[in-house]
Amino acid sequence: MEKTHIKQEIKMTESLMARINELISHYPDDKRKSALLPVLHEVQDAHDNWLSIELQDKVAEILHIKPIEVYEVVSFYTMYNRRPVGKFMFEFCQTSPCCLNGVEDLMDYTCNKLGVKVGEPTPDGLFEVRGVECLGACGYAPMMQLGDFYQEHLTKEKIDQLVFDCKEGKITLHDK
């Protein structure tokens, strides 16, 4: 497993712990591990959208499981970040329908526009472009996810508008 050497301040606030305990309460006491995915989402959201090894260890401690059980999940799913990432993560679907409709060209266009390579945040930490597996919206290809929301039927003009709107603070990332 890739370890990051970047230090992350662990901020387990009262409100975050209350939310974690509420999530855990949905499962029997002997099945606390079942809350792992939603707990990781909450913890990641509260920690600048990434999970350091130390933070993953803290989640393991809270759920009374082994740290490796958390590492396995965090390293498997692309929705969990193991290093600092751009605030606006452009996650382009890279499966067949999107590729057939030009998503690779749009990813290249976006990277060139932002001056980065895929998987590399912009120097200001505002943007990052990432390729992901199927997002389940094949009829709307090419598409990407930005925060909790899908951006569909993408074009270069739509990418330009999204970048502009992100810079202007007009993009909502989460629906909560």
Side-chain angles (χ1 to χ4, degrees):
M1 178 175 155
E2 174 187 321
K3 278 194 170 189
T4 181
H5 298 289
I6 302 168
K7 289 290 181 191
Q8 181 179 37
E9 180 184 352
I10 297 176
K11 304 170 286 201
M12 303 305 282
T13 63
E14 280 186 40
S15 62
L16 177 57
M17 285 306 301
R19 176 68 179 136
I20 289 170
N21 288 327
E22 191 266 326
L23 290 167
I24 292 169
S25 75
H26 295 191
Y27 305 95
D29 287 338
D30 64 335
K31 303 290 185 202
R32 291 172 69 95
K33 182 180 176 179
S34 298
L36 180 56
L37 271 66
V39 167
L40 285 170
H41 279 295
E42 293 294 328
V43 172
Q44 180 170 268
D45 287 349
H47 289 86
D48 299 321
N49 202 28
W50 74 287
L51 299 161
S52 65
I53 294 295
E54 296 80 14
L55 195 51
Q56 293 174 56
D57 290 345
K58 185 68 176 171
V59 170
E61 178 186 317
I62 290 167
L63 293 177
H64 306 152
I65 59 178
K66 295 176 183 170
I68 189 64
E69 295 175 276
V70 178
Y71 305 160
E72 290 170 338
V73 169
V74 170
S75 65
F76 179 78
Y77 291 106
T78 59
M79 60 194 164
Y80 301 118
N81 303 306
R82 296 180 287 161
R83 61 167 176 76
V85 295
K87 176 181 179 181
F88 297 103
M89 179 79 70
F90 287 18
E91 296 181 292
F92 287 90
C93 176
Q94 288 190 291
T95 48
S96 298
C98 285
C99 287
L100 289 171
N101 284 285
V103 79
E104 292 164 322
D105 290 338
L106 289 172
M107 287 178 70
D108 289 343
Y109 176 80
T110 307
C111 286
N112 288 334
K113 181 173 188 62
L114 299 173
V116 295
K117 295 177 182 172
V118 172
E120 170 182 288
T122 56
D124 61 5
L126 203 54
F127 296 98
E128 187 165 330
V129 176
R130 185 181 281 180
V132 297
E133 291 302 316
C134 185
L135 292 169
C138 302
Y140 308 105
M143 59 89 59
M144 72 170 179
Q145 185 169 342
L146 179 57
D148 292 340
F149 304 99
Y150 282 179
Q151 306 296 325
E152 302 161 336
H153 302 293
L154 293 173
T155 62
K156 290 178 181 177
E157 294 77 23
K158 285 185 178 182
I159 297 292
D160 291 341
Q161 188 63 54
L162 284 168
V163 170
F164 177 80
D165 288 348
C166 288
K167 288 180 177 178
E168 293 294 311
K170 297 179 181 178
I171 296 289
T172 299
L173 292 175
H174 303 291
D175 62 357
K176 42 181 164 168

